[in-house]
Amino acid sequence: MSNNLMKEYIDFIENYLDQKCIQYDSEPQKTLFESMRYSLLAGGKRLRPIFVFDFCRMCGGDWKKAAPFAAAVEMIHTYSLIHDDLPCMDNDDYRRGMPTNHKVYGEAMAVLAGDALLTTAFMQLALADFAPDVRIKAVEILSACAGELGMVGGQVLDMQSEDRACTEQEVIDIQSRKTGALIRAACMLGVLAGGGSTKQLGNAADFASHLGLAFQIRDDMLDVIGNAEELGKAVGVDTNKNTFVRIYGIKVCNKLVSEHTERAVDCLHCFTDNTFMKELSYSLTNRTV
Ligand code: IPE
Ligand code: IPE
Ligand code: MG
Ligand code: MG
Ligand code: MG
């Protein structure tokens, strides 16, 4: 994988999030801004922005122009993590190597920081430098993937499935919503920003569905075989959850990660210059972070 391109993508989104987002000098609600920025700028792999940028590039677009779309997905992802860590949800103390948002700012502020990140994400889409029809389509894609049919819906099913046995299909359905949907939004927004074809939009969605599944299976595996310091979040906390590991065991999970990654990579045939995305996909199969 081109590490240079990877670094360029990460540097660009880090700089954009830090310098161009949530910058207000004369507003009094400073603690809210601080709390939003605390989680947004806490690092993380920035995978979803990378997907936006690289799908845009693979479609022949100017990837830097897609920064507002990339920022919007990362803001929604960050809000989902802030809320996911709350005592009423997963009750986690560490995230991205730092105390969770509510540990620093309190629960009420963490809820509100999440709310504001979700809201301002759509301002990014509205103000991006694209034709109105492109921006409206972006709103449609991101809201569908983030909301009750997407990530939020998946979180609800995940929560309701605790402490009871789920079928394999149920677990796949939950994960494809709670994690797959935002990855799907990222890849599709990249194609949209790059002016890709309808076929490319469909293939990006299929790629993301398989990659998202592989990604969440690996996330579940890391709860068992991972290292908290390296991951920046606690391990061994999914004991009452319907994880892939609980259903299949580590060995089968390894095989499933490889299989879904292969199926994801197969969807990339309609993109020229897809080497970076292929290599990134394979590198995620044995990630430790
Ligand atoms: C963690 O996502 C939550 C899941 C959806 C599995 P990431 O592993 O992408 O978290 P960051 O952004 O790198 O912190
Ligand atoms: C979280 O899944 C997915 C979302 C935040 C939507 P997890 O609960 O497995 O994520 P981690 O393990 O806390 O990062
Ligand atoms: Mg959770
Ligand atoms: Mg969690
Ligand atoms: Mg997890």
Side-chain angles (χ1 to χ4, degrees):
M1 178 177 35
S2 162
N3 286 330
N4 283 348
L5 191 52
M6 183 77 152
K7 186 173 177 330
E8 260 194 83
Y9 287 157
I10 291 176
D11 287 352
F12 200 76
I13 193 64
E14 291 287 345
N15 189 59
Y16 184 89
L17 292 171
D18 186 21
Q19 305 292 322
K20 308 265 190 242
C21 304
I22 320 167
Q23 300 276 2
Y24 312 100
D25 289 334
S26 54
E27 301 284 334
Q29 58 276 36
K30 294 203 184 335
T31 316
L32 173 65
F33 307 145
E34 201 186 296
S35 162
M36 293 164 79
R37 289 175 63 88
Y38 174 82
S39 293
L40 190 61
L41 303 176
K45 294 178 285 297
R46 307 304 193 196
L47 263 182
R48 293 152 192 82
I50 292 168
F51 287 138
V52 174
F53 289 146
D54 205 56
F55 272 91
C56 177
R57 185 194 61 80
M58 286 195 290
C59 292
D62 170 6
W63 64 263
K64 291 186 178 173
K65 228 181 114 180
F69 287 6
V73 183
E74 189 65 13
M75 284 170 173
I76 292 190
H77 169 57
T78 303
Y79 120 72
S80 81
L81 298 178
I82 296 174
H83 285 191
D84 180 72
D85 289 333
L86 285 169
C88 59
M89 293 191 67
D90 288 351
N91 192 18
D92 275 311
D93 294 351
Y94 285 96
R95 171 68 67 183
R96 292 176 164 174
M98 310 207 301
T100 41
N101 196 291
H102 64 270
K103 282 275 155 190
V104 179
Y105 295 96
E107 281 180 46
M109 189 61 73
V111 169
L112 293 167
D115 292 344
L117 282 167
L118 165 61
T119 312
T120 202
F122 286 94
M123 184 68 89
Q124 288 291 322
L125 302 184
L127 298 180
D129 184 18
F130 292 105
D133 60 324
V134 172
R135 286 180 278 149
I136 289 170
K137 185 77 188 163
V139 169
E140 183 190 331
I141 290 171
L142 191 56
S143 55
C145 291
E148 70 276 21
L149 296 176
M151 184 273 291
V152 175
Q155 289 285 67
V156 168
L157 297 175
D158 188 59
M159 187 179 76
Q160 291 178 332
S161 76
E162 278 183 23
D163 301 315
R164 73 171 173 90
C166 281
T167 64
E168 294 177 14
Q169 193 50 49
E170 269 182 302
V171 177
I172 290 174
D173 276 356
I174 294 169
Q175 312 303 337
S176 75
R177 287 186 177 84
K178 86 166 190 186
T179 300
L182 274 191
I183 294 180
R184 205 148 50 238
C187 298
M188 292 176 78
L189 289 182
V191 172
L192 187 66
S197 64
T198 308
K199 174 165 174 48
Q200 286 175 322
L201 199 62
N203 276 42
D206 292 344
F207 163 85
S209 295
H210 288 295
L211 196 95
L213 211 46
F215 188 79
Q216 182 62 45
I217 298 172
R218 186 72 191 166
D219 183 79
D220 290 350
M221 290 171 70
L222 289 172
D223 185 71
V224 177
I225 61 170
N227 173 287
E229 210 173 312
E230 201 179 350
L231 279 168
K233 63 183 182 187
V235 295
V237 292
D238 287 346
T239 43
N240 61 343
K241 299 253 168 102
N242 275 287
T243 67
F244 284 98
V245 176
R246 178 157 152 197
I247 296 217
Y248 300 109
I250 290 283
K251 205 167 150 205
V252 176
C253 279
N254 254 323
K255 194 167 141 270
L256 287 173
V257 170
S258 296
E259 278 173 16
H260 281 289
T261 304
E262 276 311 330
R263 289 174 72 179
V265 164
D266 282 347
C267 301
L268 294 174
H269 61 82
C270 65
F271 299 94
T272 50
D273 197 5
N274 57 17
T275 312
F276 175 88
M277 191 49 68
K278 278 186 180 165
E279 290 181 5
L280 173 61
S281 304
Y282 288 127
S283 77
L284 293 173
T285 60
N286 57 1
R287 70 189 171 94
T288 54
V289 180

